[in-house]
DNA sequence: AGGATCGTCTGTGTAGCACCAACCATTTAT
DNA sequence: ATAAATGGTTGGTGCTACACAGACGATCCT
């Protein structure tokens, strides 16, 4: 076995993403349980926070989930009053999904609660790198560059008992 | 531990990680199918490439999977001759798992094949940012800092593959 | 009026995975 | 030497997430 990597590996993030997401999800489950949330609820809420007031169809496509399964997901969230469905004025077939205040608050609480989990999973990264990672992930997820000032502004409003 | 960050940034990456991993996995499945692989196989192979010659138990703990399920996973991989199980000389109960040459090759092929999927999911990031993301993810996953010179070296030579 | 679309409900099937129990080979402790 | 612990394997059970399909009401667009 000659140790001669003449063909070095491609730098694909897929598997790493998968791996880290799994590790994070495993921890998240137990942390989120007391809040009555599951990891996928959090994903939905996060998406809703970024693009508020979107149709269920749009949500389904962002989440890349079957729309029939979105229904159940939103039912959960609505039962807990974390989101609201209201009919669109333009097209009354459509439901516009919005984060309620409770929803935003709960999301924030959840994120705070996840600090420990993130520490475990992202322990090898120093705070600055974690923030860098966050910004990259967010940009990839939303397709928009996050301007620093915006991020700082968001910081103020969300300063809870973290 | 009561260390409170001066800037209470609840920039939690968990949900984003989850979301992007899912999007990537959905695309990966179809791309990987012709190669006889599934996303989780790729995760295992990736881990194996980094820490070669580890016991199944160690693998189970890195992957954070139940060791009974690792068996099946490795059976798949071994049947395709992408990995080898050989008994450890020090402790003959142990199986040392190693990537075969075929395995390394296949992993590389798979990563090349995933270029398209990654383009779709990480489209909002320019190449330099993708590399940055990769390095951060890798550091988080392996716990080791990837030295830049190494990364750059790998970069040059890897362009001939894809 | 007729057809398409959005959301809802119900049901079916499959995959990933945790968990349990039993078992063999081997190592370590008594 | 015997007992106990450990690494791996096999088989089974059950849960959850999810895709997919069919049917329905409401609404929009011709």
């Amino acid at each position: 076995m000659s140790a001669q990597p003449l063909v070095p590996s491609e730098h694909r993030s897929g598997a790493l993403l998968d791996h880290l997401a799994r590790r994070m999800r495993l921890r998240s489950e137990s942390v989120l349980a007391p809040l009555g949330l599951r990891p996928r609820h959090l994903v939905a809420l996060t998406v809703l926070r970024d693009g508020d007031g979107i149709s269920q169809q749009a949500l389904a496509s962002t989440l890349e989930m079957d729309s029939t399964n979105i229904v159940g997901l939103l039912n959960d969230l609505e039962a807990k009053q974390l989101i609201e469905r209201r009919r669109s004025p333009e097209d009354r077939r459509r439901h516009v999904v919005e984060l309620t205040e409770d929803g935003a608050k709960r999301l924030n609480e959840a994120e705070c609660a996840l600090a420990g989990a993130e520490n475990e999973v992202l322990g090898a990264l120093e705070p600055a790198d974690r923030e860098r990672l966050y910004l990259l992930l967010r940009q990839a997820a939303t397709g928009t560059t996050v301007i620093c000032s915006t991020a700082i502004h968001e910081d103020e409003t969300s300063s809870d008992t973290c």
Side-chain angles (χ1 to χ4, degrees), chain A residues 6-46:
Chain A
L6 31 70
V7 179
S9 44
E10 281 298 301
H11 287 178
R12 293 282 168 262
S13 306
L16 293 172
L17 228 31
D18 213 328
H19 187 190
L20 290 173
R22 176 185 169 78
R23 299 184 52 166
M24 191 76 85
R25 203 175 55 248
L26 286 174
R27 287 160 179 75
S28 302
E29 269 164 24
S30 52
V31 174
L32 255 28
L35 288 159
L37 293 173
R38 285 164 172 274
R40 65 186 192 304
H41 293 137
L42 216 61
V43 176
L45 291 177
T46 307

Side-chain angles (χ1 to χ4, degrees), chain A residues 17-88:
Chain A
L17 228 31
D18 213 328
H19 187 190
L20 290 173
R22 176 185 169 78
R23 299 184 52 166
M24 191 76 85
R25 203 175 55 248
L26 286 174
R27 287 160 179 75
S28 302
E29 269 164 24
S30 52
V31 174
L32 255 28
L35 288 159
L37 293 173
R38 285 164 172 274
R40 65 186 192 304
H41 293 137
L42 216 61
V43 176
L45 291 177
T46 307
V47 169
L48 252 1
R49 178 176 52 195
D50 283 340
D52 214 7
I54 66 178
S55 75
Q56 297 192 192
Q57 224 179 224
L59 187 59
S61 107
T62 322
L63 253 27
E64 300 202 53
M65 281 181 60
D66 194 286
S67 51
T68 64
N69 292 317
I70 292 286
V71 175
L73 189 61
L74 292 182
N75 285 349
D76 290 352
L77 260 18
E78 196 173 35
K80 295 187 171 69
Q81 317 201 342
L82 304 180
I83 59 139
E84 257 181 21
R85 289 192 252 221
R86 64 181 71 132
R87 306 224 82 118
S88 163

Side-chain angles (χ1 to χ4, degrees), chain A residues 42 90 108 127:
Chain A
L42 216 61
E90 303 121 29
N108 206 56

Side-chain angles (χ1 to χ4, degrees), chain A residues 122-141:
Chain A
L122 265 31
L125 299 181
E126 49 177 292
D129 279 342
R130 286 193 211 179
E131 185 65 13
R132 239 166 256 141
L133 176 64
Y134 171 83
L135 292 174
L136 286 170
L137 290 173
R138 188 185 157 112
Q139 182 176 345

